[in-house]
Amino acid sequence: SGVNYSDQFPILCKVAKALDCNIDEDFIDDLLVELVKLRKRGTKLQYKCNKSHRTISYVHVPVNTTDKSFHQQKQWLEDALEINGSKNDQHEEAYRRAAEFLAKKEEAAVIKGLQKVGLPVVEAMSATKMVAMCRDVDLPVGKEEVVFRHLRDHFGKKAFDGKRAMRMLGDDYVPVKAKHAMHSYVEGEKEEKIHFSYKDIKLAVTRAITERLRALSGQHGWEKLKKIKRTDIMNGGDHGGGAFQAGCNICVSFEDDDVPSQIFDLCLAEVARIRDSRRQ
């Protein structure tokens, strides 16, 4: 293999010479198995490096396919986190960093885990549901941000969409209706409550275009704005922020070239659901 064993691995060479063995992959693998067995304590393998005077640690990670097998062999995870936080007794910080990493890496899996052990989980409220709630209780527009400022302070900033997203939904003053339905993704599984909200599509599009024209009327006048060449509407949907949102992109063109085309997006419906790659 081109490796100079005598220079890089003098002790290994002495062992091989004493045993009258060739240093090949089989010999190294067999020797490693016995060394690990000799120094292993539970799932941990630790030794001190004579050159750097540091303790080197390894953890045996099993492959689990069920919750039961994972819990039976979970010691490796505790050992890994204990080693990671061993300097200056930072064990709690090691658990916190690992939790933050998992929350960013696999948010849906972390939320399911928290729910399974009974810890309270606040599902993010989208701008659509926020507007629907405010309309249901006839909350004045000026008071909405005050209420959500207190809610964000208690539940966390990510529990609610920002005021800009609310304002975009509320600009056309179209009522947002919020409902829920029971649904099972797989036949025979327990049904889940799926929240959804929607607007009257015809009313939403009509009012959105009217508001745009009203904003232009002061500069271009209604006579020019009445002469609409064409209106293109492209429907679509995407998942983001814990929900599937359906809407449209609207482009209004005018016969008068002095009047700029108006292009804007409109959210029309939303199904609140944290993304799960197994259910696409």
Side-chain angles (χ1 to χ4, degrees):
S1 61
V3 179
N4 190 334
Y5 287 103
S6 59
D7 291 340
Q8 297 185 45
F9 310 105
I11 297 177
L12 177 63
C13 289
K14 289 181 180 179
V15 173
K17 185 176 181 180
L19 297 174
D20 192 24
C21 296
N22 294 323
I23 301 178
D24 54 22
E25 290 189 4
D26 291 337
F27 171 74
I28 293 174
D29 288 343
D30 292 340
L31 182 62
L32 182 60
V33 168
E34 293 194 359
L35 289 174
V36 169
K37 186 177 180 180
L38 178 67
R39 298 301 299 269
K40 188 179 177 183
R41 299 293 182 271
T43 66
K44 292 189 295 185
L45 171 63
Q46 294 181 307
Y47 66 91
K48 184 169 289 186
C49 180
N50 292 328
K51 291 184 178 180
S52 63
H53 302 289
R54 291 190 306 161
T55 298
I56 309 299
S57 304
Y58 293 94
V59 175
H60 172 70
V61 181
V63 177
N64 301 121
T65 56
T66 65
D67 289 359
K68 183 178 180 180
S69 65
F70 173 83
H71 288 295
Q72 289 175 339
Q73 299 176 307
K74 65 179 182 297
Q75 187 60 44
W76 69 270
L77 185 55
E78 296 181 17
D79 289 341
L81 291 172
E82 180 185 344
I83 293 169
N84 185 255
S86 59
K87 188 174 182 179
N88 300 327
D89 196 27
Q90 291 191 352
H91 299 298
E92 185 175 338
E93 286 296 290
Y95 277 80
R96 178 189 59 78
R97 295 185 190 107
E100 288 182 4
F101 169 76
L102 291 174
K104 293 178 180 178
K105 183 73 174 177
E106 290 291 344
E107 179 183 343
V110 171
I111 290 177
K112 283 185 179 180
L114 293 174
Q115 292 173 333
K116 191 168 184 178
V117 298
L119 289 176
V121 177
V122 178
E123 291 190 14
M125 179 180 277
S126 66
T128 310
K129 289 190 67 177
M130 292 163 68
V131 172
M133 182 188 74
C134 294
R135 297 295 176 265
D136 282 346
V137 298
D138 293 325
L139 188 66
V141 176
K143 298 293 184 180
E144 292 176 355
E145 180 54 30
V146 177
V147 172
F148 284 108
R149 184 168 67 245
H150 287 281
L151 291 175
R152 288 190 187 96
D153 182 64
H154 181 77
F155 292 105
K157 293 181 179 179
K158 290 190 175 182
F160 306 93
D161 272 344
K163 58 183 180 181
R164 182 170 177 269
M166 278 188 68
R167 192 178 299 119
M168 289 175 64
L169 283 170
D171 280 346
D172 51 21
Y173 304 102
V174 177
V176 180
K177 299 179 181 179
K179 295 185 179 182
H180 72 269
M182 302 304 294
H183 177 70
S184 174
Y185 287 93
V186 179
E187 186 176 354
E189 283 193 358
K190 184 179 178 181
E191 289 187 335
E192 302 178 37
K193 182 182 287 187
I194 307 298
H195 295 274
F196 64 93
S197 52
Y198 62 95
K199 295 180 180 181
D200 183 307
I201 297 177
K202 182 178 178 180
L203 182 60
V205 173
T206 301
R207 290 192 177 178
I209 293 176
T210 301
E211 288 299 314
R212 288 283 176 151
L213 295 180
R214 184 177 289 115
L216 290 171
S217 62
Q219 181 180 357
H220 298 284
W222 281 108
E223 290 302 319
K224 291 183 179 181
L225 297 179
K226 288 179 182 178
K227 299 176 181 179
I228 296 177
K229 182 188 297 183
R230 60 183 292 166
T231 300
D232 296 308
I233 301 177
M234 182 172 64
N235 301 316
D238 194 15
H239 191 286
F244 176 82
Q245 295 180 329
C248 61
N249 177 272
I250 302 175
C251 177
V252 182
S253 303
F254 303 90
E255 292 185 2
D256 194 319
D257 294 335
D258 292 335
V259 182
S261 297
Q262 297 297 297
I263 303 174
F264 55 97
D265 297 320
L266 192 63
C267 181
L268 298 172
E270 180 180 87
V271 180
R273 181 65 193 161
I274 294 174
R275 188 168 191 143
D276 188 337
S277 59
R278 295 174 300 174
R279 293 173 175 171
Q280 298 304 306

